[in-house]
Amino acid sequence: MGVALTRSAQWTAAGHGAKTLEVTPLNEAIVKEIMMFVESFIYKYPQEANYVFVEPLEWKTNLDPSAFGSGYAVSGTTVKSEEVDKDGEPLLYLSVPQIKIRSFGQLSRMLYIAKSMKLKEAQACIEANRNPVAKILGLDYNIINEKNGNSFVSSVLDKMNKDDDPEREIKMKIALQLKQLDLHLLNHSLKHISLEIRLNSGTVKNDIELLKQFSGKGEQSVLESIEYTSDYEFSNGCRAPPWRQIQGEICYVLVKPHDAEILCITCSKEGVFLNGGKTDDEGQINYERKGEIYKDLVTLLKEKSAIFSENMSKQDVKFSEQLQKDQPNKAPKEEVAVTHKTSITSRRSAQEKNRINLGRSQLTKRLEPSLNWRTSVSSKESRNTLRDAQVEKHGGKLEKSRSSLSSGRAQLIRKSVEKIEEIISDSSSESEEDEEQPDHRQEANADLPSEYWQIQKLVKYLKIGSLKILKEISHNPQIRRNIVDLGGLPVMVNILDSPHKSLKCLAAETIANVAKFKRARRVVRRHGGITKLVALLDCGKHSAEPALSSLYETRDVEVARCGALALWSCSKSYANKEAIRKAGGIPLLARLLKTSHEDMLIPVVGTLQECASEENYRAAIKAERIIENLVKNLNSENEQLQEHCAMAIYQCAEDEDTRDLVRLHGGLKPLASLLNNTDNKERLAAVTGAIWKCSISKENVTKIIDRLDGVRLLWSLLKNPHPDVKASAAWALCPCIQNAKDAGEMVRSFVGGLELVVNLLKSENKEVLASVCAVITNIAKDQENLAVITDHGVVPLLSKLANTNNDKLRRHLAETISRCCMWGRNRVAFGEHKAVAPLVRYLKSNDTNVHRATAQALYQLSEDADNCITMHENGAVKYMNSLQVLGKVDFKLQFFSTACFLVQCNFYCPVSQFGAYDSQRHLHFEVYVQS
């Protein structure tokens, strides 16, 4: 962490006093990453979270003592944590304005207490503690932490062997975790820098002039208009005032899309973004940034305007041709040189990729800096390596093209070829994103750092000592890749057959650490690792059914725990889930679930949670009576175990029988009671998800509403800052409102509840928006509630969401609009807020549910004459007809689409309603309806 803060963070020295972090996107990203690491530390590493720092982290805080609740003693302007060290000193001490913290656990809790101020608190802590590793672990570990990868591991191990400190083991673990964070921050910073956009006035001007050529009032135009806010252009091509040019700003433009209000956009060297617009009184620009930074104007406008995105896709060829025609004359010489150099490198890369038949072109891929161990390989050396690989692949002898080619290098080439064949033959067996991409260039390079070869020795001569080292260092993503590249996983899989239980445990735990990415999980499966890991779960295969009370005391149970850990990591792949099931893993997991030991239960439930996403697993889980034990463990004191049990119930409750089992075994009560504990966001999201799925059954909803006060608790969670919690709570409310006896009165009984729901339509999270729309659809079934939410401004907020490409949101938004049309002049208001035209475009979706909801909404909207005109002008008839021709209609969709046509026909026939309406267009529509 200290290295990243020194090398990557951007510091500025004030006129006097300490340095502070500059206000830059990079610094903000670094602080957020550190903050996320600290927030999750208490859950990921509970043992290390209790470690007491060598020196406290101290800074000036803005926190008020009243913000601290249970677990803290508050007296005036002083706060002390009840958690103390061995000398009785509090691990958190606040004496306004100074705060001292001496453990990761207290740091994590402080960030939770800070809430909206946590980013400022994290920044203040970083600025006041420029060398945090020295304060956390001591100066010796800080020196080790600053070492490069080739000596860090050996230094830590040397320190561990020589140091007689009783806390040396936990310090080593924390040192590894901080080093891993350091590498992550450096890599994250490099990627952030590589993605930074450096625009110039010529590029911006060229883009604006081109967009002007494609703008106008026509249907095919991309924009209605685009113009500068200032006509004066400085000699450097900028139009921003000089005091803003210092900030890197180039110009400001006013853009009017076809389907949105006027956008005031700042174009700067870093990219383009929305600003605060022109002030009403003086017409001055509010320069403050109001959103994220985009790489160019086109990217921003595609995000803000669906019509721009649609029409731009039609104009892309013309736009690109014009851009290429104009660009050479405007691009600086150095950019041309870089482009030429990049194109040569890209062509070389493409040729090499084609020769090994990976089928992936690198011509358009942007080169990014990386911290992976690699050195440059000349094109000649690359060709020799590839030729050697081809000889090996076709069964020929591997000939050394140079005398310096070592046996280690030949082994790496063979591994590379095996890996390529593996990717080709099994490219689609696992659909999830690969966490860590393999680096093929590294394997063709003999000039690797010494740490790489140290790991190779550990892999080659695996013993208890080296396995212990590999288990600890395999938390590092780079080292995980190296273990796989050097063939370590097949060796560890073979060790699982060893008669020595300690070796089995170490091998299984190391596999659990390494199998965090797809290629590693595939290697474990292909070498028979899944079957062997499942066999480790059988604690009693060498004895006659031991009593459960003494089960954990046997060494077999520790082996089973490690096997469950490894299976948990491996179960993130579909093929591995099937392998676990076929190897008989479910009965063994069900048996282990009956133990009372939490360190065994967490990986067992974690594995079941991952596997329960598959239907055949859910059937087996019911057959093995696993639901009963999942419900039982909801009453555990361990928050991580509660989270995984709730998530497993969420996955399994897709089936009605499982929902009934949860109720029959008393699972609704602990689920509802966990809603009161809002400290752990991940657990809360899992619990609300489980309640949502369980509440699909009417019997469960009745119990939650009548006896457990679940609806009130769910409604209160709509205020939670975590988007997953909000969304799950909203989804869970839907069946509760549907099945309540007096739903309208119940909803109105929550003070401020309707206003809260309407305001959630301002969220930027698509899942939150979709779930809130579903809630509003159910609320609006009551006319009094519909009137209230109309007064709260639901119509304009729903209309603003209409320009979306997300089908899930489209479906629920259309259903909500349909329901809200049934009050007052709401259907007219939707037309006035330009919600009708975007709804028509929903009919081009591939989702039948979207078609059905849209037809229903259009039917309600078509009772207004102006809306009928808008529908017809935007091709509603054509789209609905095409759906019928393609056979994409069901009875409900056909009913609403036909009804919509008839309503439109009734409105169009009496031409007098529209005054001087175009009679030719009216006649054309009549003929079409008759046909």
Side-chain angles (χ1 to χ4, degrees):
M1 184 161 60
V3 178
L5 292 176
T6 303
R7 296 182 185 177
S8 298
Q10 299 163 333
W11 297 87
T12 178
H16 61 278
K19 291 183 178 181
T20 59
L21 287 168
E22 290 182 0
V23 182
T24 64
L26 174 59
N27 280 349
E28 185 178 343
I30 290 175
V31 173
K32 284 183 177 178
E33 290 295 321
I34 294 174
M35 190 172 67
M36 289 169 61
F37 171 80
V38 174
E39 280 185 307
S40 62
F41 198 93
I42 193 171
Y43 307 117
K44 289 185 177 179
Y45 315 108
Q47 184 181 0
E48 289 85 342
N50 296 324
Y51 165 77
V52 180
F53 298 163
V54 175
E55 295 181 36
L57 298 179
E58 183 176 359
W59 70 93
K60 285 186 177 181
T61 181
N62 291 316
L63 292 178
D64 190 271
S66 61
F68 292 83
S70 60
Y72 297 93
V74 182
S75 176
T77 60
T78 303
V79 178
K80 293 181 181 180
S81 65
E82 294 177 359
E83 190 178 5
V84 296
D85 63 9
K86 60 184 179 182
D87 298 323
E89 294 295 322
L91 298 184
L92 182 147
Y93 179 77
L94 168 62
S95 179
V96 177
Q98 292 293 123
I99 188 170
K100 297 180 181 180
I101 294 183
R102 300 175 60 203
S103 76
F104 279 110
Q106 288 297 329
L107 270 178
S108 181
R109 294 185 184 97
M110 182 277 299
L111 288 176
Y112 174 76
I113 291 169
K115 295 182 180 177
S116 61
M117 297 168 60
K118 61 184 178 182
L119 190 62
K120 290 183 179 179
E121 289 298 318
Q123 182 172 337
C125 177
I126 292 168
E127 290 174 346
N129 301 276
R130 294 286 301 278
N131 197 354
V133 177
K135 290 191 172 185
I136 294 171
L137 298 174
L139 192 58
D140 292 346
Y141 281 88
N142 179 63
I143 296 171
I144 292 172
N145 190 264
E146 291 178 351
K147 292 188 177 183
N148 293 326
N150 59 343
S151 59
F152 172 74
V153 174
S154 55
S155 298
V156 170
L157 293 173
D158 187 56
K159 177 76 175 172
M160 185 179 176
N161 292 331
K162 294 180 180 179
D163 200 345
D164 57 357
D165 186 349
E167 293 185 324
R168 63 182 182 275
E169 185 174 346
I170 197 167
K171 281 187 174 182
M172 183 196 75
K173 290 181 179 179
I174 294 175
L176 286 168
Q177 289 152 4
L178 293 177
K179 185 64 178 179
Q180 185 176 348
L181 173 63
D182 233 345
L183 291 171
H184 172 73
L185 290 176
L186 288 170
N187 214 1
H188 186 79
S189 301
L190 287 172
K191 288 180 179 179
H192 193 280
I193 292 168
S194 72
L195 294 174
E196 280 187 353
I197 308 303
R198 305 302 297 181
L199 298 177
N200 57 49
S201 57
T203 305
V204 171
K205 184 176 181 180
N206 191 37
D207 285 352
I208 293 172
E209 294 303 320
L210 281 174
L211 286 172
K212 282 184 177 180
Q213 294 178 27
F214 292 92
S215 298
K217 295 291 185 181
E219 291 184 0
Q220 298 302 316
S221 61
V222 296
L223 298 167
E224 283 190 17
S225 64
I226 177 171
E227 57 185 23
Y228 293 105
T229 59
S230 171
D231 294 331
Y232 183 78
E233 183 176 326
F234 290 89
S235 57
N236 60 359
C238 295
R239 295 174 186 255
W243 61 89
R244 299 304 300 180
Q245 290 184 34
I246 295 173
Q247 306 294 327
E249 294 178 3
I250 298 170
C251 66
Y252 313 98
V253 289
L254 295 173
V255 180
K256 178 63 178 76
H258 289 289
D259 54 353
E261 299 299 321
I262 294 177
L263 307 174
C264 193
I265 299 172
T266 297
C267 300
S268 71
K269 292 180 180 178
E270 283 72 32
V272 299
F273 53 86
L274 292 177
N275 57 43
K278 284 193 172 185
T279 57
D280 295 333
D281 47 359
E282 300 179 2
Q284 298 294 320
I285 297 289
N286 178 0
Y287 300 111
E288 184 180 355
R289 177 160 64 91
K290 296 296 183 182
E292 61 180 297
I293 300 177
Y294 296 85
K295 66 177 184 178
D296 53 34
L297 268 171
V298 173
T299 306
L300 183 149
L301 292 171
K302 281 185 176 180
E303 181 69 22
K304 301 298 180 184
S305 169
I307 291 181
F308 177 87
S309 179
E310 182 180 339
N311 289 351
M312 195 65 189
S313 62
K314 301 173 184 176
Q315 303 282 359
D316 265 345
V317 176
K318 295 178 183 178
F319 191 88
S320 300
E321 288 175 356
Q322 189 67 32
L323 190 64
Q324 291 170 1
K325 189 186 301 181
D326 296 343
Q327 197 66 25
N329 299 326
K330 296 180 181 283
K333 292 181 180 179
E334 65 217 30
E335 291 183 9
V336 175
V338 170
T339 304
H340 177 65
K341 183 176 179 180
T342 305
S343 65
I344 293 173
T345 307
S346 299
R347 283 197 298 271
R348 249 184 225 153
S349 176
Q351 290 167 359
E352 293 169 4
K353 293 288 182 182
N354 288 335
R355 291 183 67 179
I356 59 175
N357 196 26
L358 284 177
R360 292 166 59 186
S361 173
Q362 297 293 321
L363 291 173
T364 58
K365 186 173 181 180
R366 180 172 182 164
L367 297 177
E368 295 181 358
S370 171
L371 289 178
N372 292 343
W373 296 321
R374 62 181 69 163
T375 57
S376 59
V377 182
S378 68
S379 58
K380 181 177 179 181
E381 186 177 350
S382 297
R383 287 194 295 271
N384 289 336
T385 302
L386 289 166
R387 186 182 66 240
D388 294 343
Q390 290 292 334
V391 171
E392 177 73 9
K393 183 175 179 180
H394 289 90
K397 293 182 179 180
L398 186 66
E399 298 179 358
K400 298 181 181 180
S401 59
R402 292 178 304 280
S403 59
S404 62
L405 185 64
S406 65
S407 60
R409 169 119 178 244
Q411 180 185 358
L412 289 177
I413 294 171
R414 285 194 294 274
K415 294 292 178 186
S416 179
V417 174
E418 289 172 7
K419 182 161 51 180
I420 292 165
E421 291 174 343
E422 195 176 274
I423 293 171
I424 294 170
S425 63
D426 196 21
S427 60
S428 61
S429 63
E430 300 172 10
S431 59
E432 76 277 5
E433 288 293 325
D434 199 348
E435 175 194 313
E436 301 163 275
Q437 297 294 335
D439 186 359
H440 296 282
R441 284 179 291 176
Q442 176 180 307
E443 299 176 0
N445 189 358
D447 210 8
L448 292 164
S450 58
E451 187 177 13
Y452 189 84
W453 304 115
Q454 290 172 8
I455 294 171
Q456 187 190 40
K457 290 177 183 177
L458 290 174
V459 170
K460 188 174 182 181
Y461 305 105
L462 273 181
K463 297 179 182 178
I464 288 185
S466 55
L467 266 175
K468 284 182 178 178
I469 296 170
L470 283 176
K471 186 192 82 170
E472 295 299 335
I473 66 177
S474 57
H475 292 286
N476 184 298
Q478 179 63 58
I479 292 175
R480 286 201 286 262
R481 287 194 290 270
N482 292 336
I483 291 172
V484 176
D485 294 343
L486 291 165
L489 278 178
V491 179
M492 291 176 204
V493 168
N494 289 334
I495 291 175
L496 296 176
D497 290 327
S498 169
H500 302 288
K501 294 182 174 62
S502 54
L503 276 175
K504 285 182 178 180
C505 291
L506 287 169
E509 282 194 90
T510 309
I511 290 172
N513 293 339
V514 175
K516 301 292 186 183
F517 61 107
K518 183 166 65 176
R519 184 162 57 94
R521 294 192 284 269
R522 186 189 299 123
V523 171
V524 173
R525 185 180 71 251
R526 290 191 164 190
H527 287 84
I530 300 297
T531 304
K532 294 179 181 180
L533 288 169
V534 169
L536 297 184
L537 302 180
D538 193 357
C539 299
K541 69 178 181 180
H542 299 303
S543 61
E545 294 301 326
L548 290 176
S549 59
S550 62
L551 189 63
Y552 192 76
E553 297 170 7
T554 67
R555 294 193 67 181
D556 285 338
V557 174
E558 179 60 16
V559 175
R561 185 191 71 83
C562 297
L565 274 173
L567 288 173
W568 189 7
S569 294
C570 292
S571 63
K572 290 177 173 59
S573 303
Y574 171 76
N576 286 356
K577 292 176 187 177
E578 278 299 295
I580 294 171
R581 186 180 64 82
K582 291 176 180 177
I586 299 178
L588 294 172
L589 289 168
R591 180 181 166 195
L592 293 175
L593 198 57
K594 296 175 183 177
T595 181
S596 60
H597 296 275
E598 292 173 350
D599 54 350
M600 167 71 86
L601 287 170
I602 289 173
V604 169
V605 176
T607 306
L608 288 169
Q609 167 208 321
E610 290 289 344
C611 295
S613 59
E614 305 301 325
E615 187 176 354
N616 49 11
Y617 261 94
R618 294 197 291 270
I621 285 172
K622 281 189 295 185
E624 293 292 337
R625 302 181 64 181
I626 288 175
I627 299 299
E628 179 180 354
N629 288 300
L630 291 175
V631 169
K632 173 186 172 184
N633 287 310
L634 285 173
N635 296 307
S636 165
E637 295 297 321
N638 188 296
E639 293 185 357
Q640 190 180 5
L641 180 57
Q642 290 173 335
E643 175 192 338
H644 293 306
C645 287
M647 186 57 72
I649 290 172
Y650 164 77
Q651 298 279 17
C652 294
E654 292 283 346
D655 305 318
E656 184 177 359
D657 292 342
T658 301
R659 296 195 290 269
D660 293 339
L661 286 172
V662 173
R663 182 183 71 255
L664 293 172
H665 291 302
L668 296 178
K669 184 174 181 179
L671 283 173
S673 64
L674 287 174
L675 293 176
N676 289 308
N677 303 321
T678 59
D679 295 348
N680 188 330
K681 293 179 287 189
E682 288 77 12
R683 182 187 63 181
L684 196 57
V687 169
T688 49
I691 291 176
W692 164 30
K693 289 298 176 69
C694 289
S695 59
I696 295 173
S697 295
K698 187 173 182 179
E699 295 84 354
N700 291 347
V701 173
T702 304
K703 187 165 185 178
I704 290 175
I705 293 174
D706 294 344
R707 302 181 191 176
L708 302 176
D709 202 17
V711 178
R712 180 188 60 80
L713 293 171
L714 287 171
W715 209 286
S716 67
L717 291 179
L718 295 177
K719 301 176 185 177
N720 193 286
H722 198 288
D724 290 344
V725 175
K726 283 181 185 175
S728 296
W731 288 124
L733 281 170
C734 292
C736 293
I737 297 171
Q738 284 175 354
N739 297 311
K741 293 178 182 177
D742 191 358
E745 185 61 36
M746 179 189 73
V747 170
R748 287 192 294 276
S749 68
F750 301 115
V751 179
L754 291 173
E755 185 178 4
L756 169 63
V757 171
V758 172
N759 285 332
L760 285 176
L761 292 173
K762 299 173 184 177
S763 171
E764 295 182 358
N765 185 285
K766 295 292 192 294
E767 188 69 19
V768 171
L769 291 172
S771 60
V772 170
C773 284
V775 170
I776 292 175
T777 301
N778 287 285
I779 289 173
K781 292 176 182 178
D782 180 271
Q783 287 292 297
E784 189 174 339
N785 288 341
L786 178 53
V788 174
I789 63 175
T790 300
D791 291 340
H792 286 310
V794 73
V795 171
L797 289 173
L798 290 172
S799 300
K800 284 184 180 179
L801 300 177
N803 287 298
T804 179
N805 296 321
N806 184 291
D807 276 345
K808 189 172 186 180
L809 176 55
R810 281 176 164 182
R811 173 192 173 184
H812 293 287
L813 178 60
E815 289 175 350
T816 308
I817 289 174
S818 173
R819 180 62 62 178
C820 290
C821 282
M822 299 178 185
W823 176 259
R825 63 184 303 275
N826 279 0
R827 56 173 53 90
V828 177
F830 279 120
E832 293 171 350
H833 286 89
K834 298 184 173 18
V836 179
L839 275 174
V840 173
R841 291 193 290 274
Y842 290 8
L843 296 172
K844 294 195 289 185
S845 168
N846 293 321
D847 190 333
T848 305
N849 290 320
V850 175
H851 299 159
R852 186 184 300 114
T854 303
Q856 188 173 349
L858 293 176
Y859 165 67
Q860 291 294 338
L861 290 166
S862 64
E863 293 188 22
D864 175 68
D866 291 330
N867 290 344
C868 283
I869 297 172
T870 304
M871 290 180 207
H872 184 60
E873 287 177 342
N874 286 273
V877 177
K878 175 182 69 176
Y879 292 141
M880 287 191 175
N881 183 58
S882 65
L883 291 177
Q884 293 180 10
V885 170
L886 294 172
K888 293 184 178 180
V889 291
D890 56 16
F891 175 78
K892 193 172 181 181
L893 173 56
Q894 193 163 15
F895 170 80
F896 281 112
S897 59
T898 304
C900 185
F901 290 161
L902 291 173
V903 172
Q904 288 191 46
C905 184
N906 288 335
F907 272 116
Y908 271 95
C909 286
V911 183
S912 58
Q913 289 190 21
F914 304 101
Y917 182 70
D918 186 347
S919 59
Q920 290 295 324
R921 186 166 62 181
H922 166 70
L923 178 61
H924 171 75
F925 179 75
E926 277 193 310
V927 171
Y928 185 86
V929 172
Q930 289 171 6
S931 66

